[in-house]
């Protein structure tokens, strides 16, 4: 007569099954985003010739790179469980500062490039410090910062304009080994994430976003995590503003607002949880390209450009619902 399986064996199997189910739920939004991107690319390829070429990759990456940089910082903030609206103001301020101060002197261009990145980093650090110390809502704090930065951008340059040195503009259209500068920047961004996601800071950010109380009891310095998280977001927003100028050749005191909601949408569509603790930059990259391809399809189909935010909004809504369902299911598994 066979002996009944031990309770330890049953418990081990149940634990393994729950872990497998949790991993599947965590990755499901990212997998769905990848499938959606492939479907959109297939439709795009059927409507237009030479879509699956190196030239098209260069063009699409150039179109998506400003959003990718802005969304990279937003992803880090979302993993913490926050949100950063101030990136819109920083992008606007960065473009107008560059347009009015770069000049034709390489020394001046280098100085202001570094200074703009440092301004973005500093603004992000201040955001994080206010949120952490005063226990204020990230939405309200970053909304106020967005307003302040937008006003500052208008003071620097009331209307679109300014100029950039030829070398700066050449960088935006340059290529190496058949790959545009934007593709090389994308590869650099991927390498950064591969390194960053395994650092103690990234692990602490994810842990804090998953469960702030547990992270605090485990010794995670919450104030430092907040400051570092928003600091990185501000830095990436500054980088986004600098790249944007290589594509437009002008400074704009209002252009930043066009990247606030899309940066959140790109992350959420790619599987980053609005509740914090789940997702990554790989999903955000997929989400950013989904938004870009939707814009391409709207152009190819010769329909009103108003359809792009409508379709993007529908996809974002589905992504949010998927994220919410996965989050509730994961919480049930923990009970």
């Amino acid at each position: 007569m066979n002996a009944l399986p031990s309770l330890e064996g049953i418990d081990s199997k149940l634990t393994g099954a729950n872990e497998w189910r949790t991993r599947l739920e965590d990755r499901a939004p990212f997998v769905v985003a990848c499938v959606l991107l492939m479907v959109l690319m297939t439709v795009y390829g059927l409507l237009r010739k030479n879509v699956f070429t190196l030239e098209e990759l260069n063009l699409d990456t150039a179109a998506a790179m400003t959003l990718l940089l802005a969304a990279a910082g937003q992803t880090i903030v979302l993993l913490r469980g926050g949100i950063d609206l101030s990136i819109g103001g920083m992008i606007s301020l960065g473009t107008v500062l560059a347009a009015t101060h770069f000049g034709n002197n390489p020394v001046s261009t280098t100085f202001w490039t570094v200074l703009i990145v440092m301004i973005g980093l500093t603004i992000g650090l201040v955001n994080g410090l206010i949120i952490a110390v005063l226990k204020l809502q990230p939405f309200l704090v970053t909304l106020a910062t967005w307003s302040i930065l937008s006003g500052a951008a208008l003071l620097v340059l009331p209307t679109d304009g300014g100029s950039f040195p030829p070398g700066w503009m050449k960088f935006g259209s340059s290529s190496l080994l058949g790959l545009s500068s934007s593709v090389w920047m994308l590869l650099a961004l991927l390498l950064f994430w591969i390194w960053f996601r395994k650092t103690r800071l990234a692990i602490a950010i994810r842990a804090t976003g998953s469960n702030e109380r547990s992270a605090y009891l485990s010794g995670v310095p919450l104030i430092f995590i907040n400051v570092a998280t928003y600091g990185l977001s501000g830095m990436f927003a500054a980088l986004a503003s600098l790249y944007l100028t290589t594509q437009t050749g002008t400074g704009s005191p209002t252009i930043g607002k066009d990247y606030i909601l899309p940066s959140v949408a790109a992350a959420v569509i790619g599987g980053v949880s609005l509740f914090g603790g789940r997702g990554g930059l790989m999903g955000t990259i997929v989400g950013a390209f989904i938004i870009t391809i939707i814009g391409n399809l709207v152009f190819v189909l010769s329909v009103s450009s108003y359809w792009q935010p409508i379709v993007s909004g529908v996809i974002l809504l589905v992504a949010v619902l998927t994220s919410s369902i996965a989050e509730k299911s994961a919480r049930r598994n923990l009970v």
Side-chain angles (χ1 to χ4, degrees):
M1 186 174 179
N2 294 331
L4 293 173
S6 65
L7 292 176
E8 290 81 1
I10 295 175
D11 184 64
S12 177
K13 290 181 179 179
L14 289 174
T15 301
N18 286 334
E19 289 179 353
W20 179 84
R21 182 180 176 184
T22 300
R23 289 181 181 180
L24 182 63
E25 290 170 346
D26 285 346
R27 295 176 182 176
F30 172 70
V31 174
V32 171
C34 290
V35 172
L36 178 58
L37 178 59
M38 288 188 289
V39 170
L40 290 174
M41 286 298 298
T42 301
V43 174
Y44 186 39
L46 293 174
L47 295 174
R48 181 179 176 183
K49 296 180 179 179
N50 301 322
V51 167
F52 301 100
T53 62
L54 195 59
E55 181 181 1
E56 185 67 27
L57 173 64
N58 290 335
L59 291 173
D60 289 341
T61 306
M65 183 50 62
T66 301
L67 176 57
L68 279 170
L69 289 169
Q74 193 74 261
T75 296
I76 297 173
V77 173
L78 288 172
L79 287 174
R80 166 61 185 89
I83 192 169
D84 189 359
L85 304 181
S86 69
I87 65 170
M90 185 59 234
I91 290 174
S92 295
L93 181 61
T95 65
V96 299
L97 285 176
T100 55
H101 291 85
F102 268 15
N104 291 317
N105 187 338
V107 175
S108 176
T109 300
T110 302
F111 172 79
W112 277 97
T113 297
V114 175
L115 182 59
I116 289 170
V117 173
M118 294 304 297
I119 290 173
L121 175 64
T122 302
I123 290 170
L125 294 176
V126 172
N127 278 337
L129 190 62
I130 293 174
I131 292 169
V133 175
L134 300 182
K135 308 295 183 183
L136 298 177
Q137 289 293 326
F139 182 90
L140 296 177
V141 173
T142 57
L143 177 63
T145 309
W146 171 25
S147 179
I148 294 170
L149 295 176
S150 296
L154 287 167
L155 288 175
V156 174
L157 189 67
T159 59
D160 292 5
S163 61
F164 293 89
W168 184 261
M169 300 305 301
K170 185 178 179 180
F171 169 77
S173 59
S174 63
S175 62
L176 178 65
L177 302 177
L179 298 177
S180 66
S181 57
S182 57
V183 175
W184 287 109
M185 289 179 66
L186 176 59
L187 293 174
L189 193 60
L190 285 170
L191 289 175
F192 162 78
W193 183 255
I194 290 172
W195 165 79
F196 177 74
R197 67 180 181 176
K198 295 183 179 180
T199 62
R200 295 181 63 181
L201 174 59
I203 294 171
I205 289 173
R206 192 182 295 272
T208 306
S210 297
N211 192 316
E212 184 174 312
R213 179 173 175 78
S214 295
Y216 174 74
L217 294 175
S218 299
V220 174
L222 298 184
I223 293 179
F224 172 76
I225 294 302
N226 264 327
V227 171
T229 297
Y230 285 91
L232 287 170
S233 180
M235 183 189 73
F236 273 109
L239 291 173
S241 73
L242 291 169
Y243 177 80
L244 181 59
T245 60
T246 68
Q247 303 300 300
T248 62
T250 185
S252 173
T254 60
I255 198 170
K257 68 180 188 301
D258 296 335
Y259 292 93
I260 299 174
L261 292 182
S263 70
V264 178
V268 175
I269 290 172
V272 179
S273 174
L274 285 171
F275 303 97
R278 193 190 73 230
L281 186 60
M282 289 296 296
T284 299
I285 292 173
V286 173
F289 274 104
I290 286 174
I291 294 174
T292 302
I293 298 303
I294 289 174
N296 292 348
L297 285 172
V298 167
F299 176 78
V300 170
L301 293 172
S302 299
V303 298
S304 172
S305 60
Y306 296 131
W307 279 102
Q308 180 176 359
I310 292 174
V311 176
S312 299
V314 171
I315 294 175
L316 175 59
L317 180 60
V318 172
V320 170
L321 291 174
T322 303
S323 176
S324 179
I325 292 171
E327 183 71 18
K328 291 179 180 179
S329 179
R331 289 179 179 178
R332 284 198 301 268
N333 289 338
L334 294 175
V335 176

